[in-house]
Amino acid sequence: MLVFLVVTLLVGTGLTYLGGMAIEFEARLGIGMIVGAIVVTIASVLWAVPFGFDTTCVGLGVVTAALLSAPGWASAAPSLRTDLADVRRRIDLPWGSPESIRPLVVMTAVSWATTLRILQMAYHGDGAGGVVAGHLSSYADWNAHLAYLGSFAYGDNLPPSLPFAAGSRLTYHVGADVFSAEAAVLGVSATSALVVTSACLAMAFPLVFWFAGTRFTESRAVTAVAYFLFTMSGGLGFVYAFADIARSGPSVIGALPRSYSRLPERDIWVDNWVLSSMYAQRPGLIGLPVVLIVAAAIWSQRDRTALRPFVAAGLLAGGSVGFSVFGFGGAVLFGGWLARRTGRRLVAFLVPAFALGLPVLFLLRPESSNFRWQVGWMSRTLEVPWPWFWLLNMGLFVPLGLIALVRPRTLSTGFGAAIALPAWTIFVVMNLVVLHPWEWNNTHYLVVWALVLTFPIAAVLVAWWRSPRPLFRLVGGVAAVSLVLAGGLDMWRAIDGSEGRGGLTDADGLAAAHWARTATDPHSVFVVAPEITQPIVSFGARRVVTGFSGWVWDLGLGDWTDRIDESTTVLRGAEGTDEIIARRGVDYVVLGPSELAEPYLGNPAYWDVNGTLVYQSPSYLIYAVSSDGR
């Protein structure tokens, strides 16, 4: 797997030399990891169509991607030694030098240490052969990502379908999970593949952010402040940390009892952007960097006549849609807006972006529309005043964004004014309508708004901090701390492990999942309880009539409640079981701890008579059913 990841990085780095832009070598590495993951994954999937998803298709995909990047490395060869020497030179420069990248080195070191620590705790053994999740991301969202990964690595999921809604076409941007599946077929466990590939993508983020930020702002200070504002984002939840410390003493810092950037019981829902949109929601690992890369490429080339950077930006945006629909939308929105006055260069950007992106976007469309008007977004549901909702959830971020809007020259580059209209349009629209079954998912669009708006807000804070007026310096410092305190506490909680652990499955569940994965046809359909920790779904790599209800509902499937009712009927062997089995193409019925408990009440006596027991362990019974439903 290590060779695969290194080659992926080299592929992407080589391709950056074909974009026609002058880019620092360290930025090429960050961009290269993102680009390489996209290109290698797409190439592997194309080879998997005729040959199947296995080591052969991954090898052919890597070779194809390497051939595509070879001209880039050929063009880079004469200057490579000079580029590497320049990196060393800029590291050696004193902190005050405008060219020094020592701030980037520190920023990257802190980020990498945080990333590795959080991901190190993603999965643990329970001491008895089972698996325990180290934090909420790997307990909840990552169970779905394990299902997606397994469906490709071990389940022959081409043409792609939803693994936890058998018979439904794929409606989720699974590119990051397919990238992880490539690592899995090379011989590592599914959990290790998720962790390691997430680490590689996350470690590229500070390098990409610095590349974009220094072009947007031409200021190392503003870029560094913007980075920590985004990665440690949070609202006013930190006040509850003071209450916890007052109640339990300073020792509570070593084992924080709750999240402070997300406190639903206190109407705080938005969450820290990194923990929610990059660790939990894996598409953000690629989508958010793509927004930054595309916007920075077009912004830095807006006054130049070359077409190649615009074509490259369009190819990247279009190629990313299967990895992050929201990243694709953000890249096209901001890239197109920033290029709107560049004539044929705008066309050079939009044509490849739409040519590659729109067909995939069409294929991923939800089965039903969930568009609805909801003025005030979640403040309406929570019945709290709209201004108070945003102050609770993001602190001074929105007021500071408005200050940056009326002070457009705070950023001397003009970037703040240039992105104001599309950025605030996202904010306004997301406060008027809801596009998904769960209203919280508007955050997938709002994170793009926050990402680009962070730069002008950081410029305001830096300007205040540099002001000769003590009051402005005080206000700037207090505002900056208030914006990062809740998110910083949650980051600390994720690092020190006080977030707690949740059991995913025991050794018996893993054994049942292993049997399903290795002893049944890859296209088999199982009936299981729609619980978030059902092991056949996450570790068994087989399709099920329905997985966890939250996943199926949130993907816009119109029959999600029917699937739950039908699974319950089959588990109980109630009236209608035969018809459901025939219509859903069911091959196996699982009766484990979840299936036997309320509310499903699986019926072993029925299945002992009407099925064929093919797997038995202390906790699990798996029955094969015949084509006529018995």
Side-chain angles (χ1 to χ4, degrees):
M1 182 178 67
L2 179 61
V3 173
F4 166 73
L5 294 172
V6 171
V7 173
T8 298
L9 173 62
L10 293 175
V11 163
T13 304
L15 289 170
T16 66
Y17 287 98
L18 300 178
M21 287 181 57
I23 303 175
E24 301 83 0
F25 187 76
E26 67 276 9
R28 292 190 188 277
L29 293 177
I31 297 169
M33 191 67 240
I34 304 301
V35 173
I38 293 173
V39 174
V40 168
T41 301
I42 291 174
S44 296
V45 169
L46 291 176
W47 281 110
V49 172
F51 296 114
F53 198 97
D54 55 16
T55 54
T56 299
C57 89
V58 173
L60 290 172
V62 168
V63 170
T64 301
L67 291 174
L68 291 174
S69 72
W73 281 112
S75 66
S79 62
L80 191 58
R81 182 172 296 180
T82 302
D83 290 343
L84 293 172
D86 185 60
V87 173
R88 176 62 182 270
R89 178 187 67 83
R90 287 179 289 119
I91 292 176
D92 290 340
L93 289 173
W95 286 85
S97 171
E99 289 188 87
S100 175
I101 57 172
R102 288 185 178 182
L104 170 62
V105 172
V106 172
M107 191 175 87
T108 302
V110 171
S111 297
W112 286 9
T114 302
T115 293
L116 294 175
R117 174 57 178 164
I118 291 174
L119 292 175
Q120 176 195 14
M121 297 189 298
Y123 296 106
H124 296 276
D126 65 358
V131 179
V132 173
H135 45 72
L136 181 60
S137 296
S138 52
Y139 180 82
D141 295 85
W142 276 28
N143 264 352
H145 294 302
L146 279 173
Y148 286 125
L149 181 160
S151 73
F152 287 95
Y154 320 112
D156 192 27
N157 193 12
L158 287 171
S161 62
L162 286 174
F164 40 76
S168 294
R169 60 180 173 79
L170 187 70
T171 57
Y172 186 76
H173 39 196
V174 296
D177 295 328
V178 179
F179 177 52
S180 301
E182 294 178 87
V185 300
L186 295 177
V188 300
S189 68
T191 52
S192 295
L194 272 186
V195 168
V196 174
T197 54
S198 294
C200 291
L201 296 171
M203 291 167 73
F205 188 66
L207 300 174
V208 170
F209 197 99
W210 188 267
F211 158 78
T214 52
R215 282 158 176 78
F216 295 153
T217 70
E218 295 181 358
S219 167
R220 297 176 305 147
V222 171
T223 299
V225 170
Y227 183 77
F228 288 108
L229 290 181
F230 182 78
T231 57
M232 298 171 65
S233 67
L236 299 185
F238 63 83
V239 299
Y240 298 103
F242 295 141
D244 290 337
I245 293 171
R247 181 170 52 252
S248 305
S251 62
V252 76
I253 297 175
L256 293 169
R258 52 181 167 175
S259 166
Y260 299 101
S261 58
R262 180 169 178 168
L263 282 166
E265 67 274 17
R266 301 292 183 178
D267 299 327
I268 299 174
W269 278 90
V270 169
D271 211 342
N272 172 266
W273 294 125
V274 169
L275 293 177
S276 63
S277 296
M278 297 185 74
Y279 286 119
Q281 301 286 331
R282 297 187 76 242
L285 289 167
I286 288 181
L288 295 180
V290 166
V291 173
L292 291 174
I293 295 166
V294 170
I298 290 180
W299 176 253
S300 63
Q301 298 293 311
R302 67 194 184 281
D303 296 325
R304 301 178 184 179
T305 59
L307 290 177
R308 194 158 35 135
F310 290 79
V311 174
L315 290 171
L316 176 58
S320 72
V321 67
F323 297 79
S324 174
V325 169
F326 313 110
F328 166 73
V332 170
L333 174 64
F334 287 103
W337 178 258
L338 294 173
R340 69 191 185 281
R341 295 173 180 169
T342 62
R344 64 194 188 108
R345 285 170 291 163
L346 172 61
V347 176
F349 168 68
L350 291 179
V351 167
F354 286 145
L356 292 177
L358 291 183
V360 178
L361 196 63
F362 176 78
L363 293 174
L364 294 177
R365 71 194 185 281
E367 290 188 359
S368 58
S369 172
N370 291 277
F371 174 90
R372 59 195 183 274
W373 291 96
Q374 188 165 311
V375 178
W377 189 39
M378 293 192 75
S379 68
R380 180 175 173 181
T381 307
L382 300 172
E383 297 182 344
V384 299
W386 181 80
W388 179 237
F389 169 82
W390 278 107
L391 191 63
L392 274 176
N393 280 267
M394 294 197 69
L396 297 174
F397 190 90
V398 174
L400 286 169
L402 294 173
I403 291 173
L405 183 64
V406 300
R407 294 184 57 188
R409 298 308 297 176
T410 301
L411 267 179
S412 60
T413 60
F415 179 76
I419 53 89
L421 183 58
W424 285 103
T425 297
I426 294 175
F427 181 77
V428 170
V429 171
M430 290 301 107
N431 279 276
L432 294 176
V433 303
V434 171
L435 303 178
H436 298 268
W438 187 23
E439 59 193 343
W440 182 87
N441 280 336
N442 275 18
T443 59
H444 297 322
Y445 307 91
L446 288 165
V447 66
V448 178
W449 159 76
L451 179 65
V452 296
L453 200 62
T454 298
F455 296 100
I457 288 175
V460 170
L461 294 176
V462 170
W464 285 353
W465 182 253
R466 290 173 172 172
S467 171
R469 301 179 183 179
L471 180 60
F472 275 77
R473 293 200 297 272
L474 176 63
V475 170
V478 171
V481 171
S482 72
L483 286 170
V484 301
L485 193 51
L489 288 168
D490 278 6
M491 281 289 183
W492 172 251
R493 185 167 176 259
I495 291 170
D496 75 358
S498 58
E499 185 177 348
R501 299 179 180 180
L504 293 180
T505 188
D506 59 13
D508 220 13
L510 281 181
H514 181 265
W515 179 87
R517 189 172 67 246
T518 58
T520 66
D521 186 274
H523 300 97
S524 299
V525 176
F526 284 66
V527 172
V528 299
E531 295 293 325
I532 201 166
T533 56
Q534 216 294 330
I536 301 297
V537 178
S538 299
F539 296 95
R542 292 297 178 262
R543 296 158 179 81
V544 297
V545 171
T546 184
F548 176 55
S549 57
W551 303 336
V552 182
W553 164 66
D554 196 42
L555 289 170
L557 270 67
D559 66 345
W560 70 277
T561 55
D562 294 337
R563 289 175 177 271
I564 294 173
D565 292 341
E566 290 172 3
S567 293
T568 302
T569 296
V570 171
L571 292 173
R572 294 177 178 177
E575 183 179 355
T577 293
D578 291 353
E579 186 276 330
I580 294 168
I581 286 176
R583 176 162 47 83
R584 295 292 187 185
V586 174
D587 300 294
Y588 298 93
V589 174
V590 177
L591 296 181
S594 297
E595 289 78 15
L596 296 173
E598 291 276 3
Y600 312 108
L601 300 176
N603 187 349
Y606 175 88
W607 286 109
D608 283 341
V609 174
N610 294 278
T612 302
L613 184 64
V614 292
Y615 178 85
Q616 182 175 10
S617 70
S619 301
Y620 286 86
L621 304 172
I622 301 179
Y623 297 88
V625 297
S626 59
S627 58
D628 63 358
R630 294 190 303 162

